[in-house]
Amino acid sequence: MSEILDVAIIGAGSAGLAALREVRKHTQRFVIINDGPWGTVCARVGCMPSKTLIEAANAFYRRNTFAEFGIQGADALICDIPAVLRRVRRLRDDFVASTVKTTQELGKRAISGRARLLAPGRLEINGRELHAHNIIIATGSSPVVPKPWSALGERLLTTDTLFEQTALPARMAVLGLGPVGIEMAQALSRLGIEVTGLGSNPAIAGLTDPQVTEVAIELLGYEFPLHLGKKAELTADGDGLEVCVGTEVIAVDRVLAALGRRPNISNLGLETLGVSLDEHGMPPINPDTLQVASLRMFMAGDANDQVPLLHEAADDGYIAGFNATRSVPVCFKRRTPLAIVFADPNIAVAGNRYQDLDHAKTLIGEARFDHQGRARTGQCNKGILRIYADMESGRLLGAEMCVPAGEHMAHLLALAIDRSLTVQDLLRMPFYHPVLEEGLRTALRTLAAQLPAGQESDLAACGEFNMEALD
Amino acid sequence: MSEILDVAIIGAGSAGLAALREVRKHTQRFVIINDGPWGTVCARVGCMPSKTLIEAANAFYRRNTFAEFGIQGADALICDIPAVLRRVRRLRDDFVASTVKTTQELGKRAISGRARLLAPGRLEINGRELHAHNIIIATGSSPVVPKPWSALGERLLTTDTLFEQTALPARMAVLGLGPVGIEMAQALSRLGIEVTGLGSNPAIAGLTDPQVTEVAIELLGYEFPLHLGKKAELTADGDGLEVCVGTEVIAVDRVLAALGRRPNISNLGLETLGVSLDEHGMPPINPDTLQVASLRMFMAGDANDQVPLLHEAADDGYIAGFNATRSVPVCFKRRTPLAIVFADPNIAVAGNRYQDLDHAKTLIGEARFDHQGRARTGQCNKGILRIYADMESGRLLGAEMCVPAGEHMAHLLALAIDRSLTVQDLLRMPFYHPVLEEGLRTALRTLAAQLPAGQESDLAACGEFNMEALD
């Protein structure tokens, strides 16, 4: 190819596809390059198959509420794990197909192979050299697996291999209790597998609020044992493994490593760009433009090691594609932070985390859901919500939670935070009855009680009934 | 009692209790009077027992998804309806207890009996006359039952008697398919009862958007037959009844009448107040102050025949209690309208209804959930969401929906509408992945596509992937 392309996109994951969508609006002189199977991490091994597994696990686990509801026969229910996994793959294949359709239609502009940078604006792919005015790097990330563990062979699973299993063993350890580890440990446990959760961090699921963390650990601890704040050692033992943690030795059949993900930048040739690289091999990236140094090069998605979440990767791709097709890169204001762990109860963080607050200037409102009316009707009355607000203005700053319907409340709070609303502003909105959001209102009211009173004729000043049936 | 009270509250339901809470902040010279059993309609026969029944019904109905998830043995599940009803009453008793605690502590200031007004500031209760500077009327409402039907005796149920049943028959008709009728018809059907739904109105569940109505009717119609837009005639037939609708005759064992509720004002003595009464016997009430004419009298909750919803009744009570303890009644700005029907998928209306829009100035955005990614993982991929926005400004005006998690999305939209946000404002918020709210975003994007483009460096301009896995 002797022509000079306008844009070369390396990586056809969620960020690469979002970049592609923008680039195509401005030029047809582009290529998109993908190494390994096409289809995004999200669709192939991430968000979608994990949620499919979780939905099955939660449906099965719900049988524990049946006798109380008045439904007999729950003991007869059997979880057919191979069938569960078949459905996961069936849906996964559909989801993957939905993501590869676009690139399949591109013909020669979609290239399979591993790209390597040769210099700014130059790269090599399948032994061929390409020139592009702009390069977008969206090579994604891969699960972290400590080198020595490769000796464990098939005993060690990651999310790359978990959903490929045709069956699952009786006993599993999940190593790493961040968002993915917590989601998978609970789902596997709920499917009937004897799960042990192990995290070197004393916190879990990305939470930083000590009280929310405590409740989350307590609730999950009723379902499977958690070992936190200790390093685990793995040793092959016959077909299975021994997990040593402190003085305990736990025999399991398989380990799922959920230790996070690392950008796919090795052998990418970042060292040929003439810019300084940090100790992880990463070049400087402007977080508002995603530009690499002052090159016509942009890094998007997990590859840039910023916020490894799909919705941020999609924004990254949009920004990179936008800026790769403009003469001067434009700065974007990023969205209000939002992170959700699809555990039950849902774990979520909206806006500022507890850990990032200036506690001398912050008020905290809290609600526990043990006696929340609607939650009681649905047998999901557990969890805690903590909301943070500025002491002076009452402006909402953030929230951490482990509550039923937390994924929905986190969106509501994210909107409120994004719009710089105060506690009183949010108390002005209607809360229907009976809904779980009334628990959120309780937390807001505990905040309002700490703030100066608002104007007289404001319904936001309505108080609590302190009656389960009405709050 | 020779003293003149500051406030007499007639009715200890949700509105009366909310009024009490405000009144007590300012005076101890009050009474609260209740006719019939103490405890609110909401706790005794409304929101709470209905939601408890619905939760059991939905848990049982969910078995239809089990085979697809990979869970075997669903056929062995049996719904023990007497047990379901026992739990409904057990929880109901708890909820009622939570509401009567406050009034039990009041001693002589809580009076059981039927009050009758004698004049402004004067009323009679249990043969005794009371004088009060202010009177709050919060007498609630009762189910509408056409007079001739009283001859049907026990064959006819209302929500007042439904939850008192120890068992339920094999075949039931539900008459009236507004919010309560739809909730109960679906719940009874899901518990295994052969239900026929009958509505004289061609619309259901308070919906006014023809497309949302069509989808809701279609989805409910898969579960039980609906006869809409026709008047039904009831005739006793042995222990059961015949329901005649058009040329059809349907034999059922019981009928649940869900024809709405009517304010409890008969024999209340409103005619003694010296103000004009309308054809329903209602006095003029200022909706912003709840004052009756220019009297020191306020009407709150279902009794005032305005918006018969708990959260509005609670606001009513607050306003009435507030104004009964102020020399000059204060006007309150009411909340953004919000109505939720706890059907599955949830039916909801936030802000303006379709019917109330100026269609020459309104844009409509729509999303169907049949292919929504997250909904597919949970086997709840059905429904429709329609959002209305001002054509010129893009300001959100309202929404009608029949979608999974509609109760949560309706709150999000109600907040956005309450804050006068535009389509672009709402598209600025983070939407996590994969969540049902991404379907809401799809509807917003169909709106955004009809509006002039926003500013350049705004993430709200991010487009759709048109990929199930990513939207």
Side-chain angles (χ1 to χ4, degrees):
Chain A
M1 202 184 282
S2 59
E3 67 166 345
I4 301 181
L5 297 162
D6 285 325
V7 186
I9 303 169
I10 308 177
S14 305
L17 292 174
L20 173 66
R21 191 184 49 191
E22 291 309 306
V23 166
R24 292 179 78 177
K25 292 180 187 169
H26 298 276
T27 178
Q28 298 309 309
R29 290 154 53 92
F30 65 81
V31 294
I32 184 164
I33 299 166
N34 194 66
D35 185 28
W38 292 74
T40 68
V41 162
C42 160
R44 279 197 310 106
V45 296
C47 324
M48 302 315 290
S50 66
K51 254 41 82 191
T52 309
L53 191 78
I54 287 168
E55 290 281 358
N58 288 352
F60 185 54
Y61 189 74
R62 191 83 172 134
R63 75 192 182 288
N64 296 308
T65 63
F66 284 2
E68 164 69 15
F69 275 132
I71 302 165
Q72 301 173 353
D75 289 347
L77 294 174
I78 292 166
C79 188
D80 178 351
I81 290 179
V84 169
L85 291 165
R86 279 196 301 274
R87 173 173 186 259
V88 168
R89 286 191 292 275
R90 202 164 57 237
L91 254 71
R92 184 226 25 214
D93 291 345
D94 267 15
F95 290 130
V96 168
S98 80
T99 66
V100 298
K101 233 169 63 182
T102 309
T103 44
Q104 278 168 344
E105 290 163 359
L106 292 177
K108 284 184 182 169
R109 287 178 299 179
I111 305 172
S112 286
R114 192 177 185 95
R116 190 179 152 75
L117 299 164
L118 302 173
R122 284 176 51 207
L123 55 88
E124 189 233 301
I125 170 77
N126 302 332
R128 208 160 49 116
E129 191 171 327
L130 293 185
H131 292 234
H133 293 302
N134 296 274
I135 294 176
I136 295 172
I137 297 173
T139 47
S141 62
S142 299
V144 170
V145 179
K147 275 243 172 71
W149 293 2
S150 58
L152 296 170
E154 291 187 355
R155 297 179 194 85
L156 188 81
L157 300 172
T158 67
T159 45
D160 277 355
T161 51
L162 176 64
F163 308 113
E164 290 301 327
Q165 304 301 304
T166 52
L168 291 170
R171 303 167 304 172
M172 290 181 71
V174 175
L175 244 81
L177 296 175
V180 173
I182 285 294
E183 287 186 358
M184 290 300 95
Q186 187 182 40
L188 293 169
S189 163
R190 289 184 166 198
L191 291 170
I193 293 163
E194 193 183 305
V195 166
T196 304
L198 302 134
S200 57
N201 195 320
I204 60 165
L207 290 169
T208 72
D209 186 311
Q211 301 206 36
V212 180
T213 302
E214 187 187 332
V215 170
I217 290 171
E218 184 194 341
L219 293 177
L220 290 164
Y222 292 133
E223 301 188 32
F224 57 91
L226 288 89
H227 298 264
L228 296 168
K230 295 178 209 155
K231 212 174 137 47
E233 303 286 343
L234 305 183
T235 326
D237 180 32
D239 289 343
L241 315 88
E242 280 188 354
V243 182
C244 298
V245 54
T247 57
E248 252 184 288
V249 179
I250 304 150
V252 299
D253 304 304
R254 292 283 181 277
V255 165
L256 174 69
L259 302 169
R261 303 178 66 89
R262 193 173 285 149
N264 292 330
I265 53 165
S266 68
N267 297 318
L268 181 59
L270 289 169
E271 69 286 356
T272 67
L273 298 177
V275 302
S276 64
L277 302 180
D278 70 13
E279 70 272 31
H280 304 295
M282 291 291 289
I285 303 165
N286 180 330
D288 303 320
T289 61
L290 302 186
Q291 187 174 22
V292 175
S294 54
L295 305 175
R296 294 296 312 178
M297 179 173 287
F298 304 87
M299 270 181 101
D302 284 8
N304 71 20
D305 210 18
Q306 293 180 2
V307 189
L309 298 175
L310 180 118
H311 73 285
E312 295 282 357
D315 286 346
D316 275 7
Y318 172 73
I319 295 170
F322 187 100
N323 281 336
T325 51
R326 299 293 189 289
S327 50
V328 179
V330 168
C331 284
F332 282 78
K333 181 175 176 297
R334 300 308 293 253
R335 295 184 204 269
T336 295
L338 176 61
I340 297 173
V341 180
F342 296 93
D344 173 29
N346 296 157
I347 293 170
V349 181
N352 287 289
R353 299 184 300 173
Y354 176 91
Q355 164 182 289
D356 302 328
L357 300 167
D358 179 347
H359 287 277
K361 297 180 178 170
T362 306
L363 298 174
I364 299 181
E366 180 181 310
R368 289 180 185 256
F369 279 63
D370 307 69
H371 298 284
Q372 209 274 335
R374 174 66 181 283
R376 282 191 69 194
T377 70
Q379 295 189 57
C380 56
N381 49 313
K382 48 192 180 184
I384 185 173
L385 166 62
R386 304 241 299 164
I387 307 181
Y388 319 123
D390 179 69
M391 190 173 281
E392 211 154 301
S393 62
R395 199 162 59 81
L396 294 161
L397 300 173
E400 296 197 17
M401 69 197 79
C402 174
V403 288
E407 56 177 300
H408 305 298
M409 293 197 218
H411 278 89
L412 189 74
L413 285 164
L415 172 60
I417 294 163
D418 179 60
R419 303 305 308 176
S420 304
L421 301 190
T422 65
V423 171
Q424 297 293 341
D425 290 336
L426 199 47
L427 279 171
R428 270 276 336 162
M429 74 170 279
F431 288 84
Y432 205 77
H433 182 73
V435 296
L436 296 166
E437 280 81 356
E438 292 174 300
L440 187 155
R441 185 178 59 184
T442 298
L444 291 173
R445 281 174 170 164
T446 66
L447 274 168
Q450 303 171 61
L451 287 163
Q455 57 189 102
E456 262 211 344
S457 61
D458 187 350
L459 288 174
C462 271
E464 191 124 31
F465 282 99
N466 289 316
M467 301 172 192
E468 265 180 49
L470 299 177
D471 293 315
Chain B
M1 201 183 286
S2 59
E3 68 165 345
I4 302 181
L5 297 163
D6 285 325
V7 186
I9 303 169
I10 309 176
S14 305
L17 292 173
L20 173 67
R21 191 185 48 190
E22 290 310 306
V23 166
R24 294 179 78 177
K25 292 181 188 168
H26 299 276
T27 177
Q28 298 310 308
R29 291 153 52 92
F30 65 83
V31 295
I32 184 163
I33 299 166
N34 194 65
D35 185 27
W38 292 74
T40 67
V41 162
C42 159
R44 280 196 312 107
V45 294
C47 323
M48 303 314 289
S50 65
K51 254 42 81 193
T52 310
L53 192 76
I54 287 169
E55 291 281 358
N58 287 352
F60 185 54
Y61 189 74
R62 190 82 172 136
R63 76 192 181 288
N64 296 306
T65 63
F66 284 1
E68 164 68 16
F69 275 133
I71 302 165
Q72 299 172 355
D75 289 347
L77 294 173
I78 291 166
C79 187
D80 178 350
I81 290 179
V84 170
L85 291 165
R86 280 197 300 275
R87 173 174 186 259
V88 168
R89 286 191 293 276
R90 202 163 59 237
L91 253 72
R92 186 236 10 224
D93 292 346
D94 268 15
F95 289 131
V96 168
S98 80
T99 67
V100 298
K101 234 170 62 183
T102 310
T103 44
Q104 279 169 343
E105 290 163 0
L106 292 177
K108 285 183 183 170
R109 287 177 298 178
I111 305 173
S112 285
R114 192 178 184 96
R116 190 178 151 75
L117 299 164
L118 302 173
R122 285 176 50 208
L123 56 89
E124 189 234 299
I125 170 81
N126 303 333
R128 208 161 49 117
E129 189 172 328
L130 293 186
H131 292 232
H133 294 300
N134 296 274
I135 295 176
I136 294 172
I137 298 173
T139 47
S141 62
S142 299
V144 170
V145 180
K147 275 241 171 74
W149 293 2
S150 59
L152 296 171
E154 291 188 355
R155 294 179 195 88
L156 188 81
L157 301 172
T158 67
T159 45
D160 276 356
T161 51
L162 176 65
F163 307 113
E164 289 302 326
Q165 305 301 305
T166 52
L168 290 171
R171 301 166 307 170
M172 290 182 73
V174 175
L175 244 80
L177 295 176
V180 173
I182 285 293
E183 286 184 358
M184 290 300 96
Q186 188 182 42
L188 294 169
S189 163
R190 288 185 167 197
L191 290 170
I193 292 162
E194 192 183 308
V195 167
T196 304
L198 302 134
S200 57
N201 194 320
I204 60 166
L207 290 169
T208 72
D209 186 311
Q211 300 205 38
V212 180
T213 301
E214 188 188 330
V215 169
I217 290 172
E218 184 196 339
L219 293 177
L220 291 164
Y222 293 133
E223 301 188 32
F224 56 90
L226 288 89
H227 299 264
L228 296 169
K230 295 179 208 152
K231 211 174 137 48
E233 303 287 342
L234 304 183
T235 327
D237 179 32
D239 290 343
L241 315 90
E242 279 186 354
V243 182
C244 298
V245 53
T247 57
E248 251 185 287
V249 179
I250 304 151
V252 300
D253 304 303
R254 291 285 182 275
V255 165
L256 175 69
L259 301 169
R261 303 178 67 89
R262 195 174 282 149
N264 293 330
I265 55 165
S266 66
N267 297 318
L268 182 58
L270 290 170
E271 68 286 356
T272 67
L273 299 177
V275 301
S276 64
L277 303 179
D278 71 12
E279 70 272 30
H280 305 293
M282 292 290 291
I285 304 164
N286 179 330
D288 302 322
T289 62
L290 300 187
Q291 188 175 20
V292 175
S294 55
L295 305 175
R296 294 296 310 176
M297 177 172 289
F298 304 87
M299 272 182 99
D302 286 7
N304 71 19
D305 209 17
Q306 291 181 3
V307 188
L309 297 175
L310 181 117
H311 73 284
E312 295 283 356
D315 287 345
D316 275 8
Y318 172 73
I319 294 171
F322 187 99
N323 281 336
T325 51
R326 298 294 190 288
S327 50
V328 178
V330 168
C331 285
F332 282 77
K333 183 176 175 295
R334 300 308 293 254
R335 294 184 206 270
T336 295
L338 176 61
I340 296 172
V341 180
F342 296 93
D344 173 30
N346 297 157
I347 293 171
V349 181
N352 287 288
R353 298 184 300 173
Y354 176 89
Q355 166 182 289
D356 302 328
L357 299 167
D358 178 348
H359 287 278
K361 296 179 179 171
T362 306
L363 298 174
I364 299 181
E366 180 182 311
R368 289 179 184 258
F369 279 63
D370 306 70
H371 298 284
Q372 209 274 334
R374 174 64 183 284
R376 282 191 68 193
T377 69
Q379 296 189 57
C380 57
N381 51 311
K382 49 192 178 184
I384 185 174
L385 167 62
R386 304 238 301 164
I387 307 180
Y388 318 124
D390 179 68
M391 191 174 281
E392 210 154 302
S393 63
R395 198 163 59 81
L396 294 160
L397 300 174
E400 296 198 16
M401 69 198 78
C402 173
V403 289
E407 56 178 299
H408 306 297
M409 293 196 217
H411 278 88
L412 188 74
L413 285 164
L415 173 60
I417 294 164
D418 179 61
R419 303 308 304 176
S420 304
L421 301 190
T422 64
V423 172
Q424 296 293 340
D425 290 336
L426 200 47
L427 278 170
R428 269 278 335 163
M429 73 170 280
F431 289 84
Y432 204 75
H433 183 73
V435 295
L436 295 166
E437 281 82 354
E438 292 174 299
L440 188 156
R441 185 177 60 184
T442 298
L444 291 173
R445 282 174 170 164
T446 67
L447 274 168
Q450 302 170 62
L451 288 163
Q455 58 189 101
E456 262 212 343
S457 61
D458 186 351
L459 288 175
C462 271
E464 189 124 33
F465 282 101
N466 291 315
M467 300 172 193
E468 265 180 49
L470 299 176
D471 292 316

